Amino acid sequence: MNNNFYKAFEDRHRGSRELIKSRLKFYLPFLDKLKDIKDEQILALDIGCGRGEWLELLKENNIKSKGIDQDKDMLEASKELNLDVELGDGIKYLVLQEPSSLDIISAFHVVEHISFEELKILVKEAFRVLKPAGLLILETPNCENIFVSSYSFYLDPTHTKPIPSELLSFITEFAGFTQNKTVRLQEPEYIKQKEFVSLSEVITSVSPDYAIIAQKPATKEELEKFNSLFKADYGLSLSQITKKFNDKSLNIDYEINSIKNILDTLNNKLNDSEKKTTQAQEQILSLLNSHSWKITAPLRAFKNFLTWFKTGFLSWITFAPGSRPRRVLKKIIKSLIIFVDTNKLIKKVLINSAKFLKIYGFLRRFYNKLKDKDIASNAISEKYPLKFEDLSSLAKEIYKDIDIKK
């Protein structure tokens, strides 16, 4: 495409140079293992090198590399970094290379742009050109991710069709690579920690990219160096995330069943309580209607009288709160206080006597306490004046009865 269209498109939708470079660091452990078994300079070819993020990373890790791309605008960024790049068709360039001449062949987000026949040629020629234990890295969008396969894949007008990881893995195996690994990439980190996921997370959170890392046959000792990397699990598959979603559904069903069991238990207890209540009511009615209950009625009445008399008598002699002697005494004391307050001479004599007898402090506190209660009572009456029409019907009847007695 002309006028820098594809470069501008990549900058916006694939991500910044710094972001892509940080993601590509994932492959460095594979390169380190390759360095461990190689004495000579490691050589790499990157097909569809674009802006050169991978070439720059290889250079930083002392790996000699060359990049091929058909978009001259994309290559400008690589040239600015003095990277070894060339304008051309990467597959045609690969066909011209000598057998067993390279250690690494990579194609990041290339295979989704080419035909199936071209893809088979790419893998076949990579197998021929790679040295023993050499690595082929093919990264592409992951159509396992529902959002990718149904929407974002088609944002790029140069994409042909998505390639399932099982197909790409089989192509490398069929070409003769001794081992290959599907590595899923760029999934949200927080999803791995979640026990359950939502439906929207099922649609969007499977690893949006994947890569097939295939290795050419070599000695047993050389291949064993890579065992830990090829046996590890990477990323998040659709089956893994749907299991999290199904587990959530099963957990909800379990909770619903638990709540149902609790409700059933409560309902049974309620039914038992109703039965016991009914039985108790029947027993009470039977008791009330019995001859013995009627015969003992005078005794119960006399018992109630004795209880009332005992309580009332104790209240009288102990001046219990609310008893009539206490109310009368409080009324007398209040009258005396008012009388003393209005007669200064008597008040002065009483104060001097109290001071002499050393009971002035006690009488003063008692006086202030009674006075404060009167003030609070008057304040409440003034703040919330009670009107006859605001009274309830029962209160009105009581008020009329008191008024008549007065």
Side-chain angles (χ1 to χ4, degrees):
M1 292 190 177
N2 298 324
N3 301 320
N4 288 320
F5 174 86
Y6 200 72
K7 183 177 184 300
F9 179 84
E10 284 277 292
D11 289 342
R12 172 174 295 187
H13 291 285
R14 192 177 178 212
S16 67
R17 182 182 190 85
E18 292 72 22
L19 175 64
I20 300 304
K21 189 175 175 182
S22 68
R23 288 176 175 176
L24 291 171
K25 290 180 180 179
F26 166 83
Y27 300 99
L28 292 181
F30 288 88
L31 305 189
D32 292 337
K33 294 294 183 183
L34 201 58
K35 288 179 182 179
D36 290 343
I37 63 172
K38 298 287 183 179
D39 295 327
E40 69 275 10
Q41 172 71 61
I42 294 177
L43 304 176
L45 172 66
D46 188 26
I47 297 172
C49 62
R51 299 176 301 192
E53 296 96 340
W54 178 240
L55 296 176
E56 185 180 6
L57 197 59
L58 291 174
K59 186 177 180 180
E60 291 172 358
N61 284 270
N62 300 316
I63 295 175
K64 186 178 180 180
S65 59
K66 184 178 184 67
I68 307 292
D69 202 289
Q70 291 180 310
D71 192 317
K72 64 178 182 180
D73 296 322
M74 294 287 286
L75 289 177
E76 288 301 318
S78 296
K79 290 179 179 179
E80 289 175 3
L81 295 172
N82 295 317
L83 299 173
D84 184 6
V85 294
E86 182 178 315
L87 180 65
D89 186 312
I91 297 177
K92 290 180 180 179
Y93 181 87
L94 180 62
V95 171
L96 298 174
Q97 303 309 302
E98 295 292 327
S100 301
S101 58
L102 297 174
D103 298 289
I104 303 166
I105 297 174
S106 56
F108 296 96
H109 291 265
V110 171
V111 296
E112 68 270 18
H113 293 265
I114 61 179
S115 68
F116 184 67
E117 290 302 319
E118 290 174 314
L119 173 57
K120 289 194 294 182
I121 293 171
L122 170 59
V123 175
K124 180 182 177 181
E125 288 299 314
F127 183 81
R128 180 184 65 84
V129 172
L130 282 170
K131 297 177 183 180
L135 297 174
L136 172 63
I137 303 173
L138 302 174
E139 185 179 303
T140 186
N142 186 11
C143 56
E144 246 189 326
N145 183 303
I146 298 172
F147 180 76
V148 170
S149 60
S150 62
Y151 177 73
S152 64
F153 180 86
Y154 300 98
L155 280 175
D156 190 332
T158 64
H159 283 177
T160 56
K161 55 187 175 183
I163 303 172
S165 59
E166 290 87 347
L167 173 59
L168 193 53
S169 176
F170 178 77
I171 293 172
T172 61
E173 181 183 335
F174 187 77
F177 287 91
T178 190
Q179 61 181 351
N180 60 55
K181 184 68 181 180
T182 301
V183 292
R184 295 175 176 85
L185 306 161
Q186 279 72 262
E187 69 283 343
E189 279 299 321
Y190 75 93
I191 289 291
K192 294 180 181 179
Q193 311 304 323
K194 292 186 71 173
E195 184 178 3
F196 305 123
V197 296
S198 65
L199 179 58
S200 63
E201 288 170 331
V202 171
I203 294 171
T204 61
S205 297
V206 172
S207 302
D209 294 325
Y210 79 89
I212 297 296
I213 302 177
Q215 189 169 37
K216 191 170 179 176
T219 66
K220 181 180 178 181
E221 292 75 16
E222 289 176 328
L223 295 179
E224 284 179 348
K225 295 278 188 180
F226 295 83
N227 279 351
S228 60
L229 296 175
F230 277 94
K231 289 181 180 179
D233 291 323
Y234 304 94
L236 191 62
S237 68
L238 182 59
S239 61
Q240 288 174 312
I241 200 166
T242 51
K243 183 180 184 302
K244 288 176 179 281
F245 180 77
N246 291 336
D247 288 347
K248 177 183 180 181
S249 301
L250 291 173
N251 187 62
I252 291 173
D253 290 341
Y254 174 78
E255 290 179 353
I256 290 173
N257 289 330
S258 298
I259 293 171
K260 284 182 178 178
N261 292 334
I262 293 171
L263 291 175
D264 289 340
T265 302
L266 292 174
N267 190 47
N268 292 334
K269 288 183 177 180
L270 180 61
N271 291 334
D272 291 340
S273 298
E274 289 177 349
K275 288 179 183 179
K276 290 179 180 178
T277 301
T278 301
Q279 291 173 357
Q281 290 174 342
E282 291 174 353
Q283 290 174 356
I284 291 171
L285 288 173
S286 176
L287 177 63
L288 294 175
N289 292 326
S290 65
H291 291 295
S292 60
W293 180 262
K294 294 176 181 177
I295 292 171
T296 58
L299 294 175
R300 292 195 304 277
F302 183 66
K303 176 181 176 296
N304 292 336
F305 169 75
L306 289 177
T307 302
W308 170 83
F309 180 79
K310 178 183 176 183
T311 303
F313 181 72
L314 287 174
S315 296
W316 270 73
I317 63 176
T318 61
F319 285 82
S323 64
R324 184 172 180 80
R326 184 171 181 136
R327 294 198 304 272
V328 171
L329 180 60
K330 285 177 71 175
K331 192 171 183 179
I332 292 171
I333 291 173
K334 286 184 179 180
S335 300
L336 287 173
I337 289 172
I338 293 170
F339 174 74
V340 170
D341 273 344
T342 55
N343 292 272
K344 293 182 179 180
L345 180 61
I346 295 174
K347 184 176 182 179
K348 186 175 181 181
V349 170
L350 286 174
I351 288 172
N352 290 332
S353 300
K355 287 181 178 180
F356 177 77
L357 296 172
K358 297 183 180 180
I359 59 172
Y360 175 75
F362 167 76
L363 291 176
R364 186 68 185 176
R365 286 192 299 273
F366 182 72
Y367 169 77
N368 288 336
K369 187 176 180 181
L370 288 176
K371 194 171 184 182
D372 290 341
K373 284 186 177 180
D374 286 341
I375 292 171
S377 177
N378 292 335
I380 292 171
S381 299
E382 291 174 5
K383 188 172 183 180
Y384 304 104
L386 187 64
K387 297 180 180 179
F388 180 76
E389 55 268 21
D390 294 331
L391 299 175
S392 65
S393 57
L394 179 61
K396 287 178 180 178
E397 291 179 9
I398 294 172
Y399 181 82
K400 288 178 181 178
D401 186 50
I402 293 171
D403 195 44
I404 290 169
K405 288 180 179 180
K406 284 181 178 181

